Amino acid sequence: MLAETSARDLGFPNAYDRRQMSDGPYIAESASLIGDPARANMLAALMDGRALSATELGLAARVAPSTASGHLSKLVDGRLLSVISSGRHRYFKLASPAVARVLEELMVLAGDGPPRYRPKSRCSEEMARARTCYDHFAGKLGVAIADSLASRELVVLGDDGGLVTDAGMAFLLELGVSIEERKASRRPLCRPCLDWSERRWHIGGGLGAALTLRCFEAGWTERKRDSRAVTVTHAGKRAFEQLFGMRL
Amino acid sequence: MLAETSARDLGFPNAYDRRQMSDGPYIAESASLIGDPARANMLAALMDGRALSATELGLAARVAPSTASGHLSKLVDGRLLSVISSGRHRYFKLASPAVARVLEELMVLAGDGPPRYRPKSRCSEEMARARTCYDHFAGKLGVAIADSLASRELVVLGDDGGLVTDAGMAFLLELGVSIEERKASRRPLCRPCLDWSERRWHIGGGLGAALTLRCFEAGWTERKRDSRAVTVTHAGKRAFEQLFGMRL
DNA sequence: CTGACGTTTCGGCGAGCACCGAAACGATCC
DNA sequence: GGATCGTTTCGGTGCTCGCCGAAACGTCAG
């Protein structure tokens, strides 16, 4: 059945040629931007959702400032980054949550396949314990929060995506997490996000972002300098034990 | 606050350098594989989950057989494709649903941003009407099925992920969709999948796959030759009208 | 065995691109 | 105004990698 295809169309345009006009080149454009190691390092450094300057991103990628500038121009042109100018600085951030999703999925892919060579522990101990994933918690902390909320049926994660129950809404309201305006947004409220260190789901989407924002505002968590890693403060430990019944 | 960073670490390893040891190079490896137009065309051609031979993929990418062979070796090495040998043919398919997810997310990214130049209609009329997305329905058909199931609360999609209700389970059982064994799998049962043509959610995950498989088995839908496009048969039109209350 | 076909390997060609340093530009601070 | 700093542009260098055609390998058919 396959011989027929090749015999019929030998050297002539066929159905597969038409597909060339399809998606391939478009995804290649974005993918090749991510595909350069220097640019990938920059993007990875921006995965926490913050905006960084060109110099900082150059250091992250270990390239000269001029090289970094060139890469950043391409990433902005390719709509993977957006830029805001402030004085003599220019701050770059991921253009959209969709970009973060692609990167996160790529990390899952990179983490796949067991026997592959992988130098030392790719992720540091503290990164595995608690970090931000674009704009929500990941690592053991993120998974623990997700487990806690799920076990009390404040959210339902099941095997399949996530939902916030009515009780969950009440809980969040009481916690001071503003979730109402997020429901209007097109962004999924409670997207499950596969954790590359824990290999389990944690809570992303608008809910994950709001909850995480609240934890920083309340002083329960703090960002480690120049890293996606997160530390839980003393107040945070108390709060998390009371709210989520977890010990850290 | 930033000047401090650069002054302190001028020319020396700093926190950002350490991040180089992090995820960047790993995601770059996969991304650069996808980033070549020829390889991207091959991957796009495999998005329907079928396995194709090296020659077919060469035609899809418009490259010589020898070139195609080289690309395919790299994709297999990079764990994006898996290969099964059969006689003098070798058939290639996507290595995992995770690969399909990355590609799908990249398509969403490529579809982002409005004013960008885009020749003609990127997707043909028939592709927009009904197609497969790796292993489940997408396009108007996929969205219509999702809407129907949601409106009758057989699944709950909300803004946020998806869940199958008890009534939904009963419905699927009656339909002859074998869903039980899929619950055991680690694959999400009802992952919402953003549709790049409709810009709305349709149903992916194990449920989407099982439902789609059932439709093909029942003869309600048929694959267009050499394409991801799908046609609905006469029997299918009747069935879909009865089951989902839709007219096509 | 012999010929046909799908696939892979090899050698060579050419283009694209990442990299850097030097210099220019613009904003800020003294 | 002048010095400093963050950022960008420009020119030049080197390497990688995609591409093809020719030839080799293995399988299948007669």
Side-chain angles (χ1 to χ4, degrees), chain A residues 53-55 66 69 88 90:
Chain A
S53 70
T55 308
S66 59
S69 176
R88 52 182 165 184
R90 295 184 74 202

